[in-house]
Every structure is written in C-alpha cells, then in structure tokens.
Amino acid sequence: MDAAVLAWLLAQLGPTADPTDLQTRYARLGTARAVALEVLYERRAKLLAEPLQLTVNGIATLDQSANLTGLERQIASVEDTTAPDEPNGGDTLIIAPLQSAHRRRHHYLPWCL
C-alpha cells in the first residue's frame, strides 16, 4: 500500500483509523475500496448491535439513527468512488500527439496563377 492509498483510506475512514490495521487489511483484501468497505461494514454492524434509541424517562434520550444514516451514506459514497489503486483512479497520464492549431495547406491550382 502506497502513501496515496493510505491517504485515501484515512480520508474515507477518518484520521483515527489505525494505519497498521489498514495495511494488514489491504494485504488480505487487495484493494483500498475493499478495506474501506470492510471497516465501514464493521462500524455499521457494531452500531446495529446496540439499540439505536435509548430513553431514560425524564432524564435523557440517546438516538443513534442519524449515525446509522450517515454510515449508510458513507458506504454508498465509497461504493461509487474510484480508489487510487483502481484503474482510472488517482492521477491519469494521457499522452496525445500535439498538432498545430493553424494548419495551412497551400493548394496551388494551375488556373489560380
């Protein structure tokens, strides 16, 4: 995993993601997108394992449903984004021949002389 892939993963998963864990997952899974999705799926599963809403009558209400919605959006975003280690990911070098902007062809016709 190179620096561009690690930077992309940290941008997707947050700066608190453990780079060593990401490296291990990358070696096992092979792509940055797979690593990001696995981490996000685990976060979603952890959130779903607990009640999404907890109310203590008259004291407090804790609602995690917005966090679940945010994770779902983040997963969809990663699924639609091209990672830097995929074809057409990151910077692409395009080589094209240069041509003059003004092509002039002189056609000499015998009747014009």
Side-chain angles (χ1 to χ4, degrees):
M1 176 169 60
D2 62 11
V5 170
L6 179 59
W8 185 83
L9 284 169
L10 291 174
Q12 301 303 314
L13 303 172
T16 60
D18 180 17
T20 305
D21 177 53
L22 298 177
Q23 177 68 39
T24 302
R25 291 175 191 254
Y26 189 79
R28 179 173 50 86
L29 297 170
T31 67
R33 182 195 311 264
V35 171
L37 288 174
E38 183 176 74
V39 171
L40 293 172
Y41 291 154
E42 286 176 3
R43 289 179 185 176
R44 182 178 61 186
K46 183 178 178 184
L47 191 59
L48 289 172
E50 301 294 325
L52 287 178
Q53 191 171 32
L54 175 67
T55 301
V56 179
N57 290 334
I59 298 176
T61 298
L62 177 64
D63 188 1
Q64 297 287 347
S65 59
N67 291 345
L68 179 60
T69 302
L71 269 174
E72 293 291 342
R73 287 183 183 156
Q74 192 173 10
I75 288 169
S77 173
V78 169
E79 288 173 340
D80 292 339
T81 303
T82 302
D85 63 344
E86 294 176 340
N88 298 325
D91 295 332
T92 303
L93 176 64
I94 299 174
I95 299 173
L98 296 177
Q99 294 182 348
S100 173
H102 302 287
R103 286 185 135 187
R104 294 183 183 171
R105 288 192 173 172
H106 299 287
H107 295 283
Y108 296 105
L109 299 174
W111 54 269
C112 291
L113 295 175

